[in-house]
Amino acid sequence: MPLGPPSSALHLQNVAPGFISTPGRTPTSVTVHPVALFSILDYYLRRNDAQDRVIGTLLGTRSENGEVDVRSSFAVLHSETAEQVAVDMEYHRTMYDLHHKVNPKEVIVGWYSTGSNLNTYSALIQNFYSQETAPHQAIHLSINTGAEEGQQAGVKAFVGSPVGVNPKPENCVFVPIPCELRFNDAERSGLDLLTSTPANAANATFTNPASDLELLERSLQEVSDMLDRVLSYVQSVLSGEVKGDAAVGRYLMDALGPSTEDLEKGEFNSHLQDTLMVSYLANLVRSQAEVSARLALVKAS
């Protein structure tokens, strides 16, 4: 799912000498997992009042086709003034060493910052992380929390690139790349619980997680709603109210075709027989329990 509106803007930065240009493959897309995103938001909520933004390190994996998978993150102490920016590099390396012992497959892929503006200090920090990720290029996630009025919450991904025949620090460019949020099936229940809004949000209190039966009921209701939307779309196409989309038709055929074939092959009848057998055995056990109870009452009397 997209995390922010697409943008083709390039942000030119003027930075100090020492820019490191890495010759690695340019990242083509970024995938962010919920754990990394929640860690960033948690640190943002616990920041000092004097901090306009927070930064941190992104950890994950890279693929051969240029896709970057951001799986976790940790905060990095830093301070910014009108004259300079200071990053605690020793803290950054210590945290990475500890994390690498637990997750040796995850490496540094870039850094993040909150806020929607890329200033001069962003290029300086990008230069530092380019050294940490060499020979690969470092990515930068810009997380807009939506706390400021008139701004929409979202996440954008950038890569730093030099410009010119002889690349210089003052020619650094932040180029946007596609970014999306992806979660596993095991994380679905937790995300649904966090994103659910109570009817009375003002007086809302934390409740216990939903039981397995409630989650099953909710999932079945979602499937029913999706089937209703699909049925409404198909009926609109057949009646001529909406122009059909060939891509949607092929997707529906791929999704529903195997199920239809299974029904034609008798799979439905076999499943129905299994269901009837289980129901019969359950009724038989219930009858035997009632008979045993009545016999016990007769003996007691």
Side-chain angles (χ1 to χ4, degrees):
M1 57 179 293
L3 293 184
S7 173
S8 60
L10 301 183
H11 302 266
L12 300 178
Q13 308 296 339
N14 185 10
V15 297
F19 179 79
I20 302 298
S21 177
T22 53
R25 181 183 178 92
T26 302
T28 57
S29 64
V30 177
T31 300
V32 184
H33 286 259
V35 174
L37 189 60
F38 289 157
S39 177
I40 297 170
L41 296 177
D42 177 69
Y43 183 48
Y44 176 78
L45 293 175
R46 294 185 291 105
R47 75 191 189 283
N48 297 329
D49 295 337
Q51 285 185 292
D52 294 333
R53 67 173 182 172
V54 297
I55 68 170
T57 302
L58 299 175
L59 302 171
T61 58
R62 299 182 182 88
S63 62
E64 296 180 355
N65 56 1
E67 297 179 355
V68 179
D69 194 27
V70 180
R71 298 182 178 179
S72 59
S73 63
F74 62 84
V76 175
L77 303 177
H78 90 295
S79 62
E80 294 185 36
T81 62
E83 294 79 16
Q84 63 178 358
V85 58
V87 178
D88 194 340
M89 300 180 183
E90 187 65 26
Y91 177 82
H92 155 76
R93 293 192 174 95
T94 301
M95 288 293 296
Y96 173 67
D97 291 339
L98 293 174
H99 187 91
H100 191 67
K101 292 179 180 179
V102 180
N103 299 292
K105 294 183 180 180
E106 296 184 3
V107 298
I108 300 175
V109 295
W111 66 289
Y112 70 83
S113 67
T114 58
S116 57
N117 296 327
L118 292 175
N119 52 28
T120 304
Y121 297 147
S122 298
L124 286 172
I125 301 174
Q126 178 74 16
N127 179 34
F128 165 69
Y129 277 94
S130 297
Q131 302 175 40
E132 296 292 310
T133 60
H136 303 281
Q137 289 188 345
I139 64 169
H140 170 54
L141 286 185
S142 177
I143 293 92
N144 190 344
T145 59
E148 299 180 6
E149 185 178 358
Q151 294 198 4
Q152 183 181 4
V155 179
K156 295 180 181 180
F158 300 89
V159 291
S161 177
V163 174
V165 178
N166 297 318
K168 296 181 180 180
E170 58 268 19
N171 295 333
C172 174
V173 175
F174 278 94
V175 183
I177 58 176
C179 179
E180 66 175 358
L181 174 64
R182 182 179 302 170
F183 53 85
N184 302 322
D185 294 337
E187 301 170 329
R188 181 64 181 266
S189 300
L191 291 174
D192 291 342
L193 180 62
L194 291 173
T195 56
S196 61
T197 304
N200 189 1
N203 300 324
T205 57
F206 291 99
T207 59
N208 295 327
S211 62
D212 294 339
L213 186 59
E214 292 175 346
L215 293 176
L216 178 59
E217 180 183 2
R218 191 181 305 167
S219 299
L220 291 176
Q221 183 62 40
E222 292 177 357
V223 172
S224 177
D225 295 339
M226 288 188 289
L227 290 176
D228 291 339
R229 290 197 299 269
V230 171
L231 181 60
S232 176
Y233 171 76
V234 172
Q235 291 177 347
S236 300
V237 172
L238 294 177
S239 62
E241 298 177 1
V242 178
K243 184 179 180 181
D245 190 345
V248 176
R250 286 192 296 268
Y251 179 81
L252 292 176
M253 181 62 68
D254 294 339
L256 303 177
S259 300
T260 306
E261 293 177 1
D262 293 340
L263 293 178
E264 295 176 354
K265 293 178 181 178
E267 292 293 333
F268 177 77
N269 293 331
S270 62
H271 289 301
L272 180 60
Q273 292 177 359
D274 294 339
T275 303
L276 293 176
M277 179 62 68
V278 171
S279 177
Y280 171 75
L281 293 176
N283 292 331
L284 183 60
V285 170
R286 186 182 301 108
S287 300
Q288 290 180 348
E290 291 179 357
V291 171
S292 300
R294 291 178 182 273
L295 289 176
L297 291 174
V298 170
K299 292 180 180 180
S301 59

